[in-house]
Amino acid sequence: MLDTPTQAQAPGRPADDRVGIWLVGGRGSIGTTVAVGLHVIANELAAPTGCTTAGDAFVGVPLPRFADLVLGGHDISATPLVRRAGQLADSGMIPPRLVAAAQAGLEQADREIRPGYDPATHEGAQADAVHRLAADITGFRARHGLRTVVVVDVASTEAIPEDRPEFHDPDLLTQVLADPDGVLLPASVITALAAIESGSGYACFTPSAAMTLPSVRALADARGIVFAGQDGKTGETLLRTAIAPMFVARGMHVHSWAGANLLGGGDGATLADPEAVRSKLASKTRGLRSLVGEHVVAPLHIDNVPDLGDIKTAWDHIHAEGFLGSRITMQTIWSAYDSMLAAPLILDLARLLALAERAGVRGVVPELGFFFKDPWGSDVHDFSQQTTELHAWAHATAARVAATTTTSGQSEAFGR
Amino acid sequence: MLDTPTQAQAPGRPADDRVGIWLVGGRGSIGTTVAVGLHVIANELAAPTGCTTAGDAFVGVPLPRFADLVLGGHDISATPLVRRAGQLADSGMIPPRLVAAAQAGLEQADREIRPGYDPATHEGAQADAVHRLAADITGFRARHGLRTVVVVDVASTEAIPEDRPEFHDPDLLTQVLADPDGVLLPASVITALAAIESGSGYACFTPSAAMTLPSVRALADARGIVFAGQDGKTGETLLRTAIAPMFVARGMHVHSWAGANLLGGGDGATLADPEAVRSKLASKTRGLRSLVGEHVVAPLHIDNVPDLGDIKTAWDHIHAEGFLGSRITMQTIWSAYDSMLAAPLILDLARLLALAERAGVRGVVPELGFFFKDPWGSDVHDFSQQTTELHAWAHATAARVAATTTTSGQSEAFGR
Amino acid sequence: MLDTPTQAQAPGRPADDRVGIWLVGGRGSIGTTVAVGLHVIANELAAPTGCTTAGDAFVGVPLPRFADLVLGGHDISATPLVRRAGQLADSGMIPPRLVAAAQAGLEQADREIRPGYDPATHEGAQADAVHRLAADITGFRARHGLRTVVVVDVASTEAIPEDRPEFHDPDLLTQVLADPDGVLLPASVITALAAIESGSGYACFTPSAAMTLPSVRALADARGIVFAGQDGKTGETLLRTAIAPMFVARGMHVHSWAGANLLGGGDGATLADPEAVRSKLASKTRGLRSLVGEHVVAPLHIDNVPDLGDIKTAWDHIHAEGFLGSRITMQTIWSAYDSMLAAPLILDLARLLALAERAGVRGVVPELGFFFKDPWGSDVHDFSQQTTELHAWAHATAARVAATTTTSGQSEAFGR
Amino acid sequence: MLDTPTQAQAPGRPADDRVGIWLVGGRGSIGTTVAVGLHVIANELAAPTGCTTAGDAFVGVPLPRFADLVLGGHDISATPLVRRAGQLADSGMIPPRLVAAAQAGLEQADREIRPGYDPATHEGAQADAVHRLAADITGFRARHGLRTVVVVDVASTEAIPEDRPEFHDPDLLTQVLADPDGVLLPASVITALAAIESGSGYACFTPSAAMTLPSVRALADARGIVFAGQDGKTGETLLRTAIAPMFVARGMHVHSWAGANLLGGGDGATLADPEAVRSKLASKTRGLRSLVGEHVVAPLHIDNVPDLGDIKTAWDHIHAEGFLGSRITMQTIWSAYDSMLAAPLILDLARLLALAERAGVRGVVPELGFFFKDPWGSDVHDFSQQTTELHAWAHATAARVAATTTTSGQSEAFGR
Ligand SMILES: NC(=O)c1ccc[n+]([C@@H]2O[C@H](COP(=O)([O-])OP(=O)(O)OC[C@H]3O[C@@H](n4cnc5c(N)ncnc54)[C@H](O)[C@@H]3O)[C@@H](O)[C@H]2O)c1
Ligand SMILES: NC(=O)c1ccc[n+]([C@@H]2O[C@H](COP(=O)([O-])OP(=O)(O)OC[C@H]3O[C@@H](n4cnc5c(N)ncnc54)[C@H](O)[C@@H]3O)[C@@H](O)[C@H]2O)c1
Ligand SMILES: NC(=O)c1ccc[n+]([C@@H]2O[C@H](COP(=O)([O-])OP(=O)(O)OC[C@H]3O[C@@H](n4cnc5c(N)ncnc54)[C@H](O)[C@@H]3O)[C@@H](O)[C@H]2O)c1
Ligand SMILES: NC(=O)c1ccc[n+]([C@@H]2O[C@H](COP(=O)([O-])OP(=O)(O)OC[C@H]3O[C@@H](n4cnc5c(N)ncnc54)[C@H](O)[C@@H]3O)[C@@H](O)[C@H]2O)c1
Ligand code: NA
Ligand code: NA
């Protein structure tokens, strides 16, 4: 057991609170890290360091235990998790001894990964794809006797699609889906529709179209699933939303906030595509403008530097004006394995959405904006304010669960 | 007029709400910057950028207007403010055109600076010094028809004194003061006692002994003055208390947080003295430990680099552990004119303590911890939490003022 | 007088060694800085800090004295030097007292600035423009009784032109110049041709086409002028060529070298144009590849951040592989007023080209590659090697001058 | 085989050119890294990246091949190399697969490590210790049939000893050594004396007293051994001596050069001792002063930050004055595994000293200053100049070897 401040013995949970995490892109860098991490944490071979929900602020909140989380997913890659994990160990990202310890868990999770929806090879009506994906999820739920499943989209970032009428009208969308010659929808939309059809919780960790399309969103609301998004806030943007409010609170005027990001790995290669990177860049700057003002000059670059592997390095240069026009400059340099920042948030999102569903919450959960660059249902980007809201929401939701729970056995479940 | 987001026309104030700022160390770098800044802001030649209390969050709070603030002070230096301001302009810190514009204001303020208490040359009972200093302050208040005066200690940082019995017992303290051969008290104590005797508000912007001595504190409480401290939080420590909570909220384990500070100028020279620097270093690390845990390894250096002049540069290196033991490093580089960060806070403190007094607040104001490295009366170091508390306090205090104000003329005073 | 190590009394020079510096773009940021600097250095109000040729390595080399340099130039802007200098003082770049001290010198230089060649308004045969510009230069030389003139191109960076036949064939070039409807040549070519026609020395401080066109180069060689280029090496690239050889000498393998540049000012605005920036980026990366190998991944950005004014900040991130594949990262952050780095090099180039001409040197001077990102006539980018070559060349050229000089009066001229 | 530019097939060498490397401190971090590295390079499982002598500049120089180097040494630690290597793999420093591949080599080298001289437990005359250590070395040479042995001191840094008469007089030194109650000499002196007595080549990689004592140096010269020192130049100091000459060449005036070093690992713990760190700090600053002038303000800190492990991070802040007094700041951040920088230099030193000996060189080799912070026999700190001198020396020495070699078999040996 690592020595971390956030580790604590989880109190008993109801035997029936087993929850599925269905990762779309489950064989990617994040997916693989989640799989290794979940296994070693559930087996108490590692502390849940980096998991927000393992912190003291969540004591008393009846989240599913790590050991009650079950992994499955979709991917269009056939590289087995064990192999991918080995690569990530060789690259220095995951400690080899943890990969070795997680071998059985990886093999088991890998057996639950089904072929994803691949726009490049798809034939026939897209509705069929949605049905197939949804059936994979409901089958998984049944097979493992899960109370609920949370679908998390961690597939490769897509290009921003050109706007189309079916993005705005659910009926048109249904028509396009049914038409074997219908214009292809982005893969992230197919994923979201499968989550809706299967009645799962859903979290969008990518900056892709997904449930941002009004027609898809309408279907989600109609079906009453619980969901949150969008685009995991893990590195540079996390920092920015922690730091920017400081300048504002002190009456300083932020003139410019420039950023340079260097990364390799799978995400680096994807973002080398100028189309794919556009959605990411937009998502990263929005929060900044909302915090320090629209006037801010904020050039931002993401460069694919393959030799850096999975370590992402971000340099930010901030110029603020202070008293009597004086110049204040601040620079930040952030360096971390990107997937190591993302993976614990996937576990957090699954636990929190599972809690929400247990409490009967439906629709978007704005308080989960804490996890996202582009929070759905919320204009709050200030990380500290998001923290306060998340904690309050978790305890309020816990209270709702408690209010609907009467047996003494279940009340024991509270805690971490 | 500069273009800043925080500038707004202040609504009418009662004609009698003129407030004095009495700066101990008034001819220092901060004191001079305050004098230039107050003049040009009061005359609307510059916006109050960098002033917390000029922000949107303070709209509706009946603070004294900048134009209603009057400057005076003590110093042991005889260099006139105009000369000191000229030096700060030559060094690149203050724009020469603002120094030129403030000439009349500087001359006027300089006439209100009286010889300070100088331990090196003092003779006779220390009580006499206290009486003389207090008389300077009450004379200033009377001469300018001020509603109240706020004393702010911005004198050179002192060494931490050896503990002595009179630090703990007000009666012993009174005896030592009366004894012409009494062991010398730190100058900051004499300053605090003069503030108490004159019944002024008081803010301690330095890490010196001042009102941290229980016997001095007891006298302040007995006299019922309003006060706040200690050690202005302007640069590296400000950053740290904005950033550290982010790591905690995300369940990361901060192992080490190393810091290197380079500065020249008057403060650089003072802090080149290893005794003086000790109080500063202690003050800087305390908040960090309280935020991320006592275990943190936090080597910290302050170096006097005369050629850097008044620009302070701070480098911090943070090592945190994330998911599965992964390494996260963050570095920050902060570069700014230290006195330009400090000066607006002096104006803020004077306005807020004047408000507090108007509302009948007595004793320490923990909510002003927002301004300090070592907040008196509070354990809160999280800058965001301090911001929330400050805003709430300001509005609650405004409400107390409103509750005690009945004439229509005075209710107009609300605003900025 | 500033206290710098490089200042020394220049020994006597021949009374007739007055040399002209003709700056194309003379009212720009660099041009204005040269004008202020030359005046205050010539009048011993400032030391020639930042001037390579004022260093100990040049003792004994009979360069023209600063006081013997006379300024003139072309520009398409009508903003007087005094006004431009005032702006640069306001922005914090040039100390106001030096601008004040240089007033007379600025006015005099301004009177010697003639309207430049403006492609946007040009009418008639381009040969006429060349004649007009050349006549301006020869008139300047005659009017001031100058031994020689050195033309330095410091005009705005141009876009890289599409290739055309006349770029390769001097006869075709002559035809195009004579044709009133000829396709417009880049302004830098007109400048170069005017330098050639006037028989002046010539230095290309920009990354523009200029004498890189084979046909222009052929004319320069035919006329026998002395010249050097291209694109002043002042900041990030200077650093790179000083640091890169270290990695090679130690057998480390540089995988990537990423760079981000932030700047405002005139050059920032020009480089905001993606076409103009292309020539600059190419020029910056060439030397790096030549030093560490073609394989290096070297993303590079230049962003226009107007609020930063004339201070340029560059961040570089270097990833090298060391023993047993281990990771070495190095980051550099460089921050300086760009024109303050460039201006002394203009004085150096004028002095060195004037020396070369006196020694009878003709054609390109590869040893002046020390000053350039893209050295003409040389493949050497290693800054240290360039330093060695420059020093050796200066002394060898001095020896050639000495060999052709027999009167005792002239031999006294040696020194700085 | 890794893909590196420096790898090349070594041409044939004389069968008798087997050379011993005797590492004092052989079970330390550097020693262990040398052992792993030598094994995998000799067996062509890794390229000699990071080895200066594997570079193109050394083609044609008849250095011993990596496969002809044999490891032995002294240490006072009993932790076997295999265990230490495992720890360094766990910490992320050495790739686990290389440690596994080197297992046999580590076991073999470990068998050649003898108990070192431990001042804490030593009894009797110190001369006996010298004899014992020297006998270990000569036994090693004989056992393996080595042409020569190079002793390299990589033991823990010592405190600077108080000066004593025997440090200056060889006869007094001999007396003290013979006296069972003689004041203890630093361990590095015992090591140096053993190298002298055994007639080995010697390199001092630490900042310890060693051969800096005139009496020890006199004995070395009398015995005619070949040697070089002192204190490996691997990180921050390497950078400084590559960068500082750039400022000088451009006539800039370096005012200050501040440094902060953070490291954990074995060396971090040693340097946490303020006495031990003094010798290191002195050694680091000397070269800087010699390059940019004695006036430079150069505060420097080394902090032990155990959680950072073997990665050393150094931040440097440089302030230079340029044209017209303008401010230039440069910052460097260097991050690397310190022992990975040091280990290849140990191999280089052994190869080069073995070459020197073959050529009949005796006494100090100033041209090996390239490898050291405090070069013995040389005032040259400019890294580029050192590179030029090293290359020239290597080829001149190769020529001396060639001149004394007449058989065709040996002339084939030239190459890498
Ligand atoms: N810190 C972070 O890592 C972070 C933060 C915010 C957002 N994200 C986003 O998370 C996503 C995943 O990042 P990653 O580093 O794991 O990337 P990755 O490239 O390693 O993995 C993506 C996986 O998605 C799979 N995939 C692609 N298209 C698919 C489809 N149509 N259906 C199913 N699977 C598909 C790929 O085969 C691959 O296995 C990216 O979109 C990234 O932008 C990551
Ligand atoms: N950002 C900041 O600048 C900042 C932040 C926190 C705390 N502080 C503290 O503020 C204080 C002032 O900083 P500064 O930069 O203006 O320093 P400074 O050295 O420029 O000015 C200090 C002034 O105090 C005067 N002084 C010294 N002893 C005195 C005495 N006994 N009575 C009256 N005056 C006396 C000096 O003559 C001088 O004019 C320092 O203690 C510093 O540590 C500054
Ligand atoms: N460190 C440096 O500043 C540096 C380094 C390398 C290269 N350069 C190059 O030096 C050049 C000048 O830089 P700057 O900062 O002074 O730019 P600037 O924009 O301040 O000045 C350029 C001047 O050129 C003038 N100009 C434009 N077109 C002209 C024409 N056809 N004829 C005559 N004048 C013309 C403009 O009116 C302006 O006054 C740029 O090309 C820049 O890329 C600068
Ligand atoms: N980049 C670098 O790593 C670098 C650069 C310059 C100098 N150095 C110096 O190299 C030395 C070794 O560094 P390291 O990181 O390997 O340190 P380390 O602490 O890991 O190893 C030092 C070894 O020396 C052994 N030792 C101590 N006293 C001894 C004695 N009297 N006789 C024999 N062995 C003894 C210790 O047991 C240990 O095994 C240090 O002095 C360090 O300052 C290192
Ligand atoms: Na407190
Ligand atoms: Na030396």
Side-chain angles (χ1 to χ4, degrees), chain C residues 3-6 49-50, chain D residues 247-248 250-256 292 295 319-322 328:
Chain C
D3 167 71
T4 68
T6 57
T49 313
Chain D
F247 288 101
V248 175
R250 279 286 172 91
M252 298 166 183
H253 184 64
V254 177
H255 284 299
S256 60
V292 303
H295 65 272
H319 172 210
E321 180 184 323
I328 298 153

Side-chain angles (χ1 to χ4, degrees), chain C residues 23-32 74-78 84 114-119 133 153-158 187-188 191 205-208 231-235 265-268 270-271 280 310 312 337-343 345-346 371 373:
Chain C
L23 294 181
V24 182
R27 288 193 176 113
S29 182
I30 295 178
T32 308
H74 283 123
D75 205 305
I76 59 173
S77 158
R84 194 84 181 84
R114 297 284 176 274
Y117 165 76
D118 189 345
L133 300 181
D153 186 345
V154 287
S156 315
T157 297
E158 298 168 356
S188 63
T191 293
F205 209 75
T206 75
S208 301
D231 199 9
K233 178 157 89 169
T234 49
D267 206 29
T270 304
L271 294 175
K280 183 64 95 180
D310 299 293
K312 183 168 186 173
Y337 286 102
D338 231 22
S339 301
M340 284 292 195
L341 300 173
L345 306 192
I346 306 301
F371 295 101
K373 292 195 190 75

Side-chain angles (χ1 to χ4, degrees), chain A residues 23-33 73-79 84 88 114-120 133 153-158 186-188 190-191 204-208 230-235 263-271 280 310 312 337-343 345-346 371-373:
Chain A
L23 296 181
V24 182
R27 289 194 175 113
S29 181
I30 295 178
T32 308
T33 308
H74 283 124
D75 206 304
I76 59 172
S77 157
T79 308
R84 194 84 181 83
L88 294 175
R114 296 283 175 275
Y117 165 76
D118 189 345
L133 300 180
D153 186 347
V154 287
S156 315
T157 297
E158 298 169 356
S188 64
I190 305 298
T191 294
C204 186
F205 208 75
T206 75
S208 302
Q230 165 181 39
D231 198 9
K233 179 158 87 169
T234 49
L263 79 161
D267 208 26
T270 304
L271 295 174
K280 183 64 94 180
D310 299 292
K312 184 168 184 174
Y337 286 102
D338 231 22
S339 301
M340 284 291 194
L341 301 171
L345 307 191
I346 306 301
F371 295 102
F372 298 112
K373 291 195 190 75

Side-chain angles (χ1 to χ4, degrees), chain A residues 50 233 250-251 331 333 370 384, chain B residues 50 233 250-251 331 333 384:
Chain A
K233 179 158 87 169
R250 280 286 172 91
Q331 299 174 64
I333 301 170
F370 172 92
S384 175
Chain B
K233 179 159 87 169
R250 280 286 172 92
Q331 299 174 63
I333 301 171
S384 174

Side-chain angles (χ1 to χ4, degrees), chain C residues 61-355:
Chain C
V61 177
L63 300 165
R65 294 179 308 181
F66 291 107
D68 285 338
L69 301 176
V70 182
L71 264 189
H74 283 123
D75 205 305
I76 59 173
S77 158
T79 308
L81 279 174
V82 169
R83 179 118 67 88
R84 194 84 181 84
Q87 291 164 356
L88 294 175
D90 285 349
S91 81
M93 187 170 111
I94 312 186
R97 61 179 178 81
L98 295 185
V99 171
Q103 170 105 8
L106 290 170
E107 283 166 359
Q108 187 185 322
D110 210 51
R111 280 192 297 271
E112 295 294 350
I113 299 186
R114 297 284 176 274
Y117 165 76
D118 189 345
T121 59
H122 173 74
E123 286 187 2
Q126 297 174 69
D128 294 346
V130 174
H131 300 330
R132 176 174 67 77
L133 300 181
D136 288 339
I137 299 169
T138 51
F140 171 68
R141 184 166 59 210
R143 205 157 51 247
H144 291 278
L146 306 170
R147 170 170 69 76
T148 188
V149 172
V150 177
V151 174
V152 188
D153 186 345
V154 287
S156 315
T157 297
E158 298 168 356
I160 303 180
E162 292 284 311
D163 197 13
R164 297 185 55 80
E166 60 265 31
F167 290 1
H168 300 273
D169 179 337
D171 293 337
L172 276 183
L173 181 65
T174 309
Q175 279 174 35
V176 168
L177 284 165
D179 178 357
D181 299 322
V183 173
L184 285 187
L185 293 157
S188 63
V189 167
I190 304 299
T191 293
L193 292 171
I196 294 168
E197 181 165 320
S198 66
S200 306
Y202 169 81
C204 185
F205 209 75
T206 75
S208 301
M211 230 175 249
T212 61
L213 306 190
S215 55
V216 181
R217 177 70 178 274
L219 293 175
D221 284 330
R223 179 69 158 89
I225 68 165
V226 63
F227 56 90
Q230 163 183 39
D231 199 9
K233 178 157 89 169
T234 49
E236 188 189 50
T237 312
L238 174 64
L239 273 185
R240 289 173 162 204
T241 60
I243 295 170
M246 178 196 79
F247 288 101
V248 176
R250 280 287 173 91
M252 297 166 184
H253 185 64
V254 176
H255 284 298
S256 60
W257 198 308
N261 290 268
L262 310 177
L263 78 163
D267 206 29
T270 304
L271 294 175
D273 168 10
E275 278 310 303
V277 87
R278 266 185 41 225
S279 45
K280 183 64 95 180
L281 291 176
S283 177
K284 282 174 87 90
T285 308
R286 218 166 285 147
L288 183 63
R289 295 194 183 284
S290 125
L291 288 170
V292 302
E294 289 299 321
H295 66 272
V296 70
V297 174
L300 184 61
H301 305 282
I302 303 181
D303 288 308
N304 180 32
V305 183
D307 52 278
L308 293 179
D310 299 293
I311 296 182
K312 183 168 186 173
T313 298
W315 173 71
D316 269 28
H317 183 283
I318 305 151
H319 172 210
E321 180 183 324
F323 202 56
L324 304 184
S326 68
R327 183 183 280 238
I328 298 154
T329 60
M330 176 176 174
Q331 299 175 63
T332 60
I333 301 170
W334 173 264
S335 189
Y337 286 102
D338 231 22
S339 301
M340 284 292 195
L341 300 173
L345 306 192
I346 306 301
L347 298 177
D348 288 325
L349 283 165
R351 296 178 89 197
L352 291 165
L353 285 169
L355 171 76

Side-chain angles (χ1 to χ4, degrees), chain D residues 60-302:
Chain D
V61 177
L63 301 164
R65 293 180 307 181
F66 291 108
D68 284 340
L69 301 176
V70 182
L71 265 189
H74 283 123
D75 206 305
I76 58 173
S77 158
T79 308
L81 280 174
V82 169
R83 178 117 68 90
R84 194 86 181 80
Q87 292 164 356
L88 294 175
D90 285 348
S91 81
M93 187 171 111
I94 312 186
R97 62 181 176 80
L98 295 184
V99 171
Q103 171 104 8
L106 290 170
E107 283 166 359
Q108 187 185 322
D110 210 51
R111 280 191 296 270
E112 295 294 350
I113 299 186
R114 297 283 176 274
Y117 166 75
D118 189 346
T121 59
H122 172 76
E123 287 187 2
Q126 297 174 71
D128 295 346
V130 174
H131 300 329
R132 175 175 66 78
L133 300 181
D136 288 339
I137 299 169
T138 50
F140 171 68
R141 184 166 58 211
R143 204 157 51 248
H144 292 277
L146 306 170
R147 170 169 70 75
T148 188
V149 172
V150 177
V151 174
V152 188
D153 186 346
V154 287
S156 315
T157 297
E158 299 167 355
I160 303 181
E162 293 283 312
D163 197 12
R164 298 185 55 81
E166 59 265 31
F167 290 180
H168 301 274
D169 179 338
D171 293 336
L172 277 182
L173 181 65
T174 310
Q175 279 173 36
V176 168
L177 284 165
D179 178 357
D181 300 321
V183 173
L184 284 188
L185 294 157
S188 64
V189 167
I190 305 297
T191 293
L193 293 170
I196 294 168
E197 182 166 318
S198 66
S200 306
Y202 168 81
C204 185
F205 208 76
T206 75
S208 301
M211 232 175 248
T212 61
L213 306 190
S215 55
V216 181
R217 177 70 178 272
L219 293 175
D221 284 330
R223 180 67 158 91
I225 67 164
V226 64
F227 56 91
Q230 167 181 36
D231 199 8
K233 179 157 88 168
T234 50
E236 188 188 52
T237 311
L238 173 64
L239 273 185
R240 290 174 161 202
T241 60
I243 295 170
M246 177 196 79
F247 288 101
V248 175
R250 279 286 172 91
M252 298 166 183
H253 184 64
V254 177
H255 284 299
S256 60
W257 197 309
N261 290 268
L262 311 176
L263 78 163
D267 207 28
T270 304
L271 295 174
D273 168 11
E275 278 310 303
V277 86
R278 266 183 42 224
S279 45
K280 183 66 95 181
L281 291 175
S283 177
K284 283 174 86 90
T285 307
R286 218 166 286 146
L288 182 64
R289 295 194 183 286
S290 125
L291 288 170
V292 303
E294 288 299 321
H295 65 272
V296 71
V297 174
L300 183 61
H301 305 282
I302 303 181

Side-chain angles (χ1 to χ4, degrees), chain A residues 76 116-124 132 184:
Chain A
I76 59 172
Y117 165 76
D118 189 345
T121 59
H122 173 76
E123 286 187 3
R132 175 175 67 80
L184 285 187

